[in-house]
Every structure is written in structure tokens, then in C-alpha cells.
Amino acid sequence: MTLLQSLPLTHFLKHYRLESFVRDCVAGIVVSIVMIPQCMGYALLAGMPAEYGLYCAILPTFLYALLGSSRCLSVGPAALISIILASSIAALNPQSDAQYIFYAVNISFLAGMFLLLMRLLRLGNLTNYISTPVISGFTSAAALTIMLSQLKHVLGVEIGAGLDFGETLRALIRSLVEVNWPTLSIGVGACLVLWYFKALFPALIKTFSLPTWLQQALGKSGPMVVVFGAAALVAVLQLDQTSGVAVLGNIPPGLPDLTAVWTGFSMDIELWKQLALPAFLIALMCFITSIAVGSSLASLRKERVNPNQELLALGIANLGAAVSGTFALAGSLSRSAVSHQAGAETPIASVISALCIILTLLVLTPLFYSLPLAVLGAIVIMSVFSMIDIAQVGRCWKLNRADAYSLLATFFAVLVFNIEIGICVGIILSIVLLVHRASHPHIAVVGRVGESAHFRNVERHDVVTDESIIAIRVDESIYFSNVQFIEDFILEQCSAHPHAEHVVLICSSVSFIDATAVDALEQLGEKLRETGITFHLAEVKGPVMDQLKRTEMIERLKPGQIFFTVDEAMRSLAVSKQNG
């Protein structure tokens, strides 16, 4: 197989037809309608000039389309990545716009390298170790931080960039006396129009006999409508001059000029040491959010994305962002959902979107001169509003309080401290919960159901027990982290049952046992014998039995036995008691 044949895009195009190309073209155009204003808004969120958001959606998009395993994932500027970037660079106190951009480019490069390193180490399943509640708590708090950071544009006030949630809130409160009312009117109006286009307008256009592709384009045209409508309003009324409405201003036409970014570029190890942590966190969040979006969309087609291939694609895409002289990126939930809904069949839809971005940079940039910053702020606010998942708190509270606590802890860590600390807190909590659950397996004392050969938890079912036999089921493999918990449980049950003569450890759910566990169980058998209790095993799986045969445990277990079933154990021990 050649390198070209191994590329995911080649697989997608294997049975490509003209109808598929038409659907991809329509989806690509529809996505670009959302993407163009969103990219500019996310660039401002990252503290970068608006055109850099458009640059971020060209070369990286082509690279991801070539290498990505998702049909519909739309990569480019993303709200979470942008706010982390702004916070991280602000902490470095850049002395000029050029230095700020230089830091952003280096972070893109390092994030890409971290993603490629994760691919080299085959860490595609890394996301399995970060719980959904932790991610939900982080994204909800980050969304609130993003929304709050954009209120300065909607209110028309000046506050510093890169502030955390509390600092931004205090700065906004102090600035309320300086609100620019025309700007506020434009911002609120833009939010209302965007809400209308999202909630009500799609149902309205369905009443007309329009082609499906046109309905989709019109239904997603809200951002473009507010962009061009507000720009025309400001230009005609000259609100930027008469009322102080802040506008986007001149966007350089054409593709990016990389001379200023890469002139004098060299490997600055000291700078990379400062940027390593934020770059790693950006790489991690890029992968987590992208794989979550890509997997959810792939499941709708009964397909799967390849996590390790995604690490490669996202890593190369971020390196492409660095080469383009712009900032780090990730998969976008809102744009990817639009791509799927618009009927995208392959990554060619993303290529079409990138071509639309190029056309915009070459031809349409003069139209954005009078675009109010309040409108871009409104677009960002409305884009991230759906990331706030209040229902998840109630759901976790009902299912598992520990998950709810971890969600809330991550949420408040982001708000009280900053996003970087919030990410670290979330990761640590995920690891702590994983370790805690692994070290505290579910254990149940079981009894016979009627006269049957079935045994169930005595706390959940009406069962028959024998006061001389304690049957205990462990619903987990036994290894160094949980064997002490299991031993303590067994000894507590023996203390609670003074007439017990036998303990049967049911191993039906035990698929693995390590050396530490074997030693601990041997010692437990000896402790029980000293108190007049015999230790037995039942329903030991073949692989575990093979492990035990390679040790001395079977001999040391005697006079304890290993029974094929729990029913056999209970009947045999009951008979021996009668004979004794």
C-alpha cells in the first residue's frame, strides 16, 4: 500500500460520486457562512487581529482534510483554545503586538509537536481517563469566562485582555458608567437576530417550497446577516465617528505575509520552557474536544474515528497554523454540527470552506471595515452559550455524587483561579476518582435465591443464607490497589458473623490477579485459619486459574478448596458441616 492510498481522504473518495461532490460543496459553503464571522470573533478572543482567524482556517483545514479520520469535523479557531491562548500569553506580558503574535505562533508549533508526540506514544485513548463530568465542568466555566470577556465589546468599554473571570467581572462593573449605548444597542440587537435565526427562522423557511440546499444556507445565514447588516448600518450612519462605535477597521487583503513572523525566527529553548505548559494544555484540550465532536458525529453514521489518526491530523494541522503565522486550533462543535446537518459526506466539504475563506481574503475584506466589534462579540457569546450544561449537574447528582463534586470543583477552579489551573484540577480529579474507584470495588455478601442455584446480594434480594458460611462476591479484578480493601471487607464480615466457619470468595468477575494480591490472599487465608475459619474460592476463571497454578497459593489454601460454582461450594460445605 502506498502512502497516498493509506491516507483517510483516499478512503473517503474511493466511491466518490458527483452527487457527493454537490453535497460537499453545499455543506462547505453553508459552513463558511458561519465560519467567516466566527473565525474573526475567535481571533479577537485570542487577542489576535481578526484576519488571523481567517488565516487559521486555510492551510490547517487543508491538512486536516487530508489526514483526519472524521468526515464532518471542522477544524479552525475554537473558543476554548482561543481563551486559553489569550490567558497564557497575557501572563508573559508581551511588549508589542508582534511579540504577542510571535508567542502565539510558538504555542501553535509546540501544541502541534505535543500532539505528534502523543501520536508517537499511541495515546489516542488518553481521553478515556478524563471523565465527562470534569470536561462538562471545565467547558461550562470556560464558556462563562468567554461570554464575560466579550461583554466589553457589546458594552463598548475598554478593559484589559487576558484577565481571569473575577478580574474581568470587576473591570466590567467598574466600567458600567462608561457604557456606549449605541454599541450596546447594536450588540443586543445582534444577539436577538442570531437567536431568531437559530430558534425560529428555520421553521419559517420550511413553509416555503425552496430547495433543501437553499433552506440550509438561509437557516445558517444569521451570522452573515448581522455582520453585513450592522456594517452597513454603521457605515451609512457613520456611527464609528459620531457615536464612538468601535469597528473592525482595515483588514489587509490577500493571503498572510509571513515575512514579519518568521524573520529572525530561531529555536528559543528558554521561551519554549515558558510556553510548554500552556501549549501542552492547549494540545490536550484540542484533542479532547475534537475527538468528542468527531466521535459523536461519526456515531450518527455508525462509523468511528481513529483517535491516533486524529492525533496525527490535529498535530499536523497545528503545525500548519504555525507555518501560517497564526494561532492554535481545534475541532469546532458548532461548525462541525452545521457541516453534518448540511449533508457533508467527506472532508472535501472542509476544503470548499477553506476556498471560500481564501476568496473572502482576496475580495471581500473591504466589506468588513465598518463591522462593529459588538457584533463579533455577540457572535462569540451566542456560539458558546450552548456549552453551558446546567442539566449535567443534576444528572450527576442523581447518578453519582462524586461525579457531581468533581464537576463543581472543576467549574469553580476555572472561575476562581484561571483556565489553566482549572484544566489541571480537572485532570487531577479524574485521576483521583479513577484510582479511588479502582481501589474500592463493589463487594457483596450473597445468598441463595429460594432453592435455585442462583446467588444474589443479601441487601437487594430475599435470599437464604447459612450462618456458618459467608459467600462474598468481588465485582472487579484483584490487584495491589484494591486487595487491602477486599481483605478489610472480609475480616469485617467475619467479625459480624461470629458463627462463621467458612468464607467463600466468589471470583466470577475477577479477570486478573497480580502478585501482590496473591500474597495478600495467602496471608488472609492464614489469618482466617487462626480464627477457625476456612478460606475457599469459587467460580475462578480459566486465565486466573492459570495464574494461581504458577504460584503456591493452591497448596497454601488447603484445607480450603477451589469450587467450580458457588452452588457446589455451598452444598459441599453444608454437607461437610452435617457430617462433622
Side-chain angles (χ1 to χ4, degrees), residues 57-115:
I58 301 176
L59 180 59
T61 298
F62 285 123
L63 292 172
Y64 180 83
L66 185 66
L67 298 169
S69 62
S70 172
R71 293 177 182 269
C72 299
L73 188 66
S74 174
V75 300
L80 280 178
I81 305 301
S82 296
I83 194 67
I84 297 172
L85 183 71
S87 175
S88 302
I89 298 180
L92 298 174
N93 192 27
Q95 300 302 305
S96 65
D97 291 342
Q99 190 177 42
Y100 191 103
I101 294 171
F102 187 71
Y103 287 163
V105 171
N106 276 269
I107 288 177
S108 299
F109 176 79
L110 291 176
M113 294 303 294
F114 277 125
L115 286 164

Side-chain angles (χ1 to χ4, degrees), residues 108-130 276-291 306-316 318-319 423 427:
S108 299
F109 176 79
L110 291 176
M113 294 303 294
F114 277 125
L115 286 164
L116 292 181
L117 177 61
M118 291 161 66
R119 169 60 184 88
L120 185 65
L121 298 175
R122 304 185 69 83
L123 298 178
N125 294 323
L126 184 65
T127 55
N128 296 340
Y129 300 97
I130 303 179
L277 179 58
F280 175 74
L281 294 177
I282 284 174
L284 187 62
M285 293 312 301
C286 167
F287 179 56
I288 290 172
T289 56
S290 300
I291 200 70
N306 184 331
N308 286 309
Q309 184 66 32
E310 288 301 291
L311 283 172
L312 173 64
L314 293 168
I316 296 296
N318 274 282
L319 291 182
I423 295 174
I427 294 172

Side-chain angles (χ1 to χ4, degrees), residues 549-561:
K549 287 178 180 178
R550 293 193 288 268
T551 70
E552 298 178 2
M553 181 174 175
I554 296 178
E555 285 298 318
R556 292 188 176 183
L557 189 66
K558 294 178 180 179
Q561 304 177 57

Side-chain angles (χ1 to χ4, degrees), residues 28 39 96 112 241 280 292 369 416 422 507 513 540 558-559 570-571:
C39 286
S96 65
Q241 301 176 28
F280 175 74
Y369 182 90
V416 173
C507 302
I513 185 169
V540 180
K558 294 178 180 179
M570 300 298 282
R571 294 184 186 278

Side-chain angles (χ1 to χ4, degrees), residues 362-429:
L362 295 175
V363 179
L364 301 179
T365 53
L367 299 179
F368 299 125
Y369 182 90
S370 298
L371 174 61
L373 297 183
V375 169
L376 291 180
I379 290 172
V380 172
I381 289 171
M382 297 303 290
S383 296
V384 303
F385 183 78
S386 60
M387 291 166 55
I388 301 175
D389 191 0
I390 298 175
Q392 183 75 351
V393 180
R395 181 171 176 271
C396 289
W397 190 261
K398 294 176 182 177
L399 291 175
N400 189 308
R401 295 287 174 87
D403 281 338
Y405 292 140
S406 65
L407 186 157
L408 293 173
T410 306
F411 178 85
F412 286 111
V414 172
L415 295 186
V416 173
F417 300 104
N418 55 47
I419 289 181
E420 291 89 343
I421 292 178
I423 295 174
C424 294
V425 168
I427 294 172
I428 291 170
L429 284 173

Side-chain angles (χ1 to χ4, degrees), residues 162-381:
L163 304 178
D164 61 30
F165 184 86
E167 293 170 338
T168 304
L169 181 59
R170 288 191 293 271
L172 283 172
I173 292 173
R174 289 194 299 267
S175 301
L176 288 178
V177 294
E178 303 171 3
V179 169
N180 184 296
W181 293 103
T183 298
L184 178 60
S185 300
I186 292 172
V188 172
C191 288
L192 292 174
V193 172
L194 290 169
W195 173 81
Y196 173 78
F197 268 85
K198 184 176 182 178
L200 303 178
F201 189 66
L204 175 63
I205 59 176
K206 285 183 180 179
T207 61
F208 298 95
S209 300
L210 298 175
T212 302
W213 66 268
L214 184 56
Q215 287 187 23
Q216 292 172 340
L218 292 174
K220 305 300 179 183
S221 63
M224 278 299 190
V225 169
V226 296
V227 163
F228 288 119
L233 177 67
V234 170
V236 170
L237 300 180
Q238 297 183 333
L239 295 178
D240 54 331
Q241 301 176 28
T242 60
S243 301
V245 174
V247 297
L248 191 58
N250 183 53
I251 294 181
L255 299 179
D257 178 10
L258 304 182
T259 305
V261 174
W262 291 105
T263 298
F265 181 84
S266 60
M267 293 179 59
D268 189 338
I269 302 301
E270 290 303 316
L271 174 63
W272 287 0
K273 288 179 181 179
Q274 297 179 62
L275 300 179
L277 179 58
F280 175 74
L281 294 177
I282 284 174
L284 187 62
M285 293 312 301
C286 167
F287 179 56
I288 290 172
T289 56
S290 300
I291 200 70
V293 174
S295 297
S296 63
L297 293 177
S299 66
L300 298 177
R301 297 174 180 263
K302 298 183 179 180
E303 297 175 345
R304 295 186 64 187
V305 297
N306 184 331
N308 286 309
Q309 184 66 32
E310 288 301 291
L311 283 172
L312 173 64
L314 293 168
I316 296 296
N318 274 282
L319 291 182
V323 171
S324 303
T326 186
F327 56 98
L329 52 87
S332 166
L333 172 60
S334 58
R335 297 194 301 269
S336 300
V338 168
S339 180
H340 173 76
Q341 293 166 3
E345 293 195 7
T346 71
I348 294 297
S350 294
V351 173
I352 300 300
S353 296
L355 293 174
C356 291
I357 299 292
I358 293 174
L359 180 64
T360 299
L361 283 166
L362 295 175
V363 179
L364 301 179
T365 53
L367 299 179
F368 299 125
Y369 182 90
S370 298
L371 174 61
L373 297 183
V375 169
L376 291 180
I379 290 172
V380 172
I381 289 171

Side-chain angles (χ1 to χ4, degrees), residues 14-43:
K14 191 172 182 180
H15 302 290
Y16 203 59
R17 305 185 306 275
L18 178 61
E19 295 84 355
S20 300
F21 179 69
V22 172
R23 293 191 185 96
D24 282 340
C25 285
V26 171
I29 294 171
V30 171
V31 170
S32 67
I33 293 173
V34 177
M35 194 174 196
I36 291 169
Q38 202 176 74
C39 286
M40 293 191 290
Y42 290 164

